[in-house]
Amino acid sequence: MELTKKDTKMIQGLSVLAMVCLHLFCRYDYQQLYQPLIFIKGLPLCFYFGQLSDFCVAGFAFCSGYSHAAMFENTDPKSYYKRRLKSLLSLYLNYWLIVCVFAVIGLITKNSTIPGSFTEFLLNFASLKNSYNGAWWYMLVYAIIVFASPLLLTINKKLPRVPAFGLYLGLLVASLYFCYYAGIENPIVTRLLLYAVTVCEYMIGAASRKARIFTCFGKINNKLESKKPLKAVKYTVFLCAYLAMLLFHSLVSGSIALASFLGYAIIVIFHYTKKPAFVERFFLFIGKHSTNIWLTHMFFYTILFENFVFIAKYPLLIFIFMLAITVGISVVLNKVLTLRKFLPVLKPAEA
């Protein structure tokens, strides 16, 4: 069985949790910020999780490509495009509200960066610059992908399955090489290559839908789940694979170029790990608020409220504190955006 909307929403929840973990704990300067309790080979355990969490963007791009391809299969191109543009407008209304709210907070707190000059505000408002919040770089990339998606998905639809995967993987490897290893110093070229990496991750998601990859994996999974010894082997392999990735990515190669490939492995492990109902509800809840967590979390450890969340002192408490703040803000934002008196046709955004 292929991924459902519920499945992709949980993967989005996983991806945004990874984003928060990456930004908080993938650092060597932790001594002045928080107190880790567990160390492995001189590094905090939270660093290992933070390092492996760099798959977060690949997770979002994969879900977008997969979901868009599923929609494109079942609607005519004109209807698909209309729906995607409407959804993109909802996302930007969400984004614009956040830009304005935090610009006002910056004025009140007399922050030196936010809101800055009127030109700076406009560039951030238009998502052409992300000086207010580094995580906002993905807004423009996603908008470009949405505008280009009918063409991208038409190409994906016409290409044979195996050559499509080969093409996208080849382009991804080439983009990663030129982005991170070729020593290109031109910021515009580097930004374009970063966009290319994200588009390739998106297309791999679309190709996975077309090839019915999860249906194939599902048949294998059903056989493994049918007998207890095989089931035990499955989860042993999953655990060993995850621990291997966790240690390898921190102790052997911390290259962000691995993020896309490790991310796909993590998505497969996550999807085929049987989860209790309360765990599913948790990831669905976080997935529902993933857009606002993505757009707001950086304010609470840098620029606007620098190092604020680190007052919780211990990694797990810091992580929970960050989620409590951003989910609380998300609930308020969603209430504002669903006031039909002001926005009769739009709902809270989903990237």
Side-chain angles (χ1 to χ4, degrees):
M1 182 178 178
E2 287 302 295
L3 296 181
T4 63
K5 186 175 181 180
K6 174 182 172 182
D7 295 326
T8 56
K9 185 59 65 179
M10 285 196 288
I11 294 170
Q12 286 178 330
L14 174 70
S15 298
V16 83
L17 291 177
M19 181 183 292
V20 173
C21 187
L22 170 70
H23 291 162
L24 290 178
F25 304 125
C26 188
R27 57 176 71 224
Y28 293 100
D29 60 342
Y30 63 89
Q31 290 91 343
Q32 304 302 318
L33 298 174
Y34 51 86
Q35 179 58 61
L37 298 177
I38 302 173
F39 290 81
I40 299 175
K41 289 189 173 292
L43 293 171
L45 178 61
C46 60
F47 175 84
Y48 289 81
F49 287 106
Q51 185 84 327
L52 188 56
S53 292
D54 61 4
F55 76 88
C56 52
V57 173
F60 278 118
F62 177 90
C63 286
S64 295
Y66 191 96
S67 300
H68 291 183
M71 294 178 207
F72 197 73
E73 285 178 5
N74 300 316
T75 57
D76 64 275
K78 187 176 180 180
S79 298
Y80 162 83
Y81 203 38
K82 184 177 179 180
R83 287 177 61 188
R84 294 323 311 155
L85 292 180
K86 183 177 177 180
S87 179
L88 182 63
L89 177 58
S90 292
L91 175 62
Y92 264 89
L93 283 169
N94 199 143
Y95 171 73
W96 290 330
L97 177 60
I98 290 171
V99 173
C100 292
V101 166
F102 282 93
V104 170
I105 293 173
L107 277 174
I108 294 171
T109 59
K110 297 181 180 179
N111 186 270
S112 59
T113 304
I114 303 173
S117 66
F118 185 63
T119 300
E120 194 77 6
F121 172 79
L122 287 180
L123 288 172
N124 278 275
F125 190 82
S127 71
L128 296 174
K129 195 171 182 179
N130 55 300
S131 59
Y132 286 10
N133 189 313
W136 289 355
W137 70 269
Y138 190 70
M139 279 294 300
L140 183 59
V141 178
Y142 181 72
I144 293 170
I145 287 174
V146 169
F147 282 117
S149 63
L151 175 61
L152 294 173
L153 296 174
T154 298
I155 293 171
N156 181 66
K157 193 173 182 179
K158 291 183 177 181
L159 284 174
R161 295 175 185 180
V162 175
F165 267 113
L167 175 63
Y168 306 149
L169 286 171
L171 290 174
L172 176 60
V173 170
S175 299
L176 288 168
Y177 172 77
F178 286 109
C179 192
Y180 297 111
Y181 296 108
I184 296 173
E185 297 181 357
N186 186 305
I188 296 175
V189 175
T190 301
R191 178 59 64 90
L192 290 173
L193 287 169
L194 184 60
Y195 289 0
V197 169
T198 309
V199 170
C200 290
E201 292 167 342
Y202 172 90
M203 293 302 287
I204 289 172
S208 297
R209 169 67 189 191
K210 178 183 177 179
R212 301 297 191 266
I213 288 294
F214 286 91
T215 297
C216 298
F217 286 158
K219 292 177 182 178
I220 299 171
N221 183 67
N222 291 339
K223 290 182 180 179
L224 294 175
E225 287 281 343
S226 64
K227 296 181 180 180
K228 286 187 178 180
L230 293 177
K231 189 175 180 180
V233 170
K234 168 192 156 181
Y235 285 110
T236 300
V237 170
F238 278 3
L239 179 60
C240 291
Y242 184 79
L243 291 176
M245 290 188 288
L246 192 71
L247 296 173
F248 178 84
H249 204 25
S250 292
L251 300 178
V252 180
S253 175
S255 173
I256 195 172
L258 294 173
S260 302
F261 306 101
L262 296 181
Y264 302 137
I266 290 170
I267 287 171
V268 170
I269 291 172
F270 176 77
H271 179 64
Y272 289 110
T273 297
K274 192 172 183 179
K275 295 171 278 292
F278 75 92
V279 173
E280 287 195 353
R281 287 196 296 271
F282 171 75
F283 281 104
L284 287 170
F285 177 78
I286 296 297
K288 175 184 175 182
H289 294 284
S290 60
T291 296
N292 288 325
I293 296 172
W294 153 42
L295 292 173
T296 62
H297 75 281
M298 286 191 75
F299 287 120
F300 299 100
Y301 74 90
T302 186
I303 300 180
L304 197 54
F305 301 105
E306 190 169 1
N307 296 336
F308 175 68
V309 293
F310 294 120
I311 63 174
K313 190 176 180 180
Y314 300 105
L316 181 59
L317 295 181
I318 292 166
F319 191 75
I320 293 171
F321 188 32
M322 176 68 89
L323 288 182
I325 294 170
T326 51
V327 169
I329 290 172
S330 180
V331 169
V332 174
L333 290 171
N334 286 349
K335 290 290 184 183
V336 173
L337 289 167
T338 51
L339 288 174
R340 292 189 176 274
K341 180 179 178 182
F342 302 103
L343 298 170
V345 296
L346 298 173
K347 297 179 180 180
E350 295 181 5

